[in-house]
Structures are given as C-alpha cells and as structure tokens.
Amino acid sequence: LTPEQLARQLCEDSDLPASFEGYILRAMNEQINDFLKDGQEDGLERVVDPTAYGCSGERLHTIRIEMRVNDVLIEDRFL
C-alpha cells in the first residue's frame, strides 16, 4: 500500500472529496521525511524503501493526520 493509495482509501472511507487526497498525502510525506531526518540526527539509519511497500517484513508506525481546509478540520490517527 503506497501513501497515494492510503490517501485515496482514507478519502473514500471518510466520504471526503477527492481534492483532500493531496492534503493527506502531503501530511503523510512530511511525517515520513521527519522520521527519516530524525534518524540522521541521532545517528540511526532509518530507511523507507518504496519498493518494500506490501512486501515481507511488516513495519507498524502511527500515522497522524491533522489538516484544515477552509472551515473543515480533519484529525485522524491510525496504524
């Protein structure tokens, strides 16, 4: 499952307009980049291999989404 697919599925499941996909994807990518950057600062190697999505070696990370579009506030947290 790629971040793009997850954003699309979240919009479908939550009855959000498709225009929210980009906002959700941006929030996920920011968190992934922060995760990778934090690993560099503390000397740990943190790698997200895009070819490993859906393959063996399960990785569980909490994904937190907080976004506001006009008067609509969306907050979600899931594994």
Side-chain angles (χ1 to χ4, degrees), residues 1-78:
L1 187 67
T2 66
E4 292 82 5
Q5 293 169 324
L6 181 58
R8 185 174 306 114
Q9 190 63 48
L10 182 62
C11 285
E12 289 174 8
D13 292 348
S14 302
D15 293 326
L16 296 171
S19 59
F20 279 44
E21 285 180 32
Y23 297 110
I24 294 169
L25 182 59
R26 188 174 315 120
M28 286 190 289
N29 284 330
E30 286 174 4
Q31 290 180 55
I32 290 169
N33 290 332
D34 288 346
F35 173 78
L36 294 173
K37 186 172 67 173
D38 287 345
Q40 292 171 355
E41 291 172 1
D42 60 17
L44 299 174
E45 182 179 343
R46 296 188 180 176
V47 178
V48 176
D49 179 4
T51 61
Y53 286 120
C55 298
S56 64
E58 184 175 300
R59 297 179 191 155
L60 296 177
H61 298 282
T62 301
I63 298 174
R64 196 178 92 238
I65 296 176
E66 295 177 1
M67 73 176 166
R68 178 182 297 276
V69 179
N70 297 326
D71 293 335
V72 178
L73 176 64
I74 305 290
E75 295 180 297
D76 202 356
R77 179 179 287 182
F78 50 92

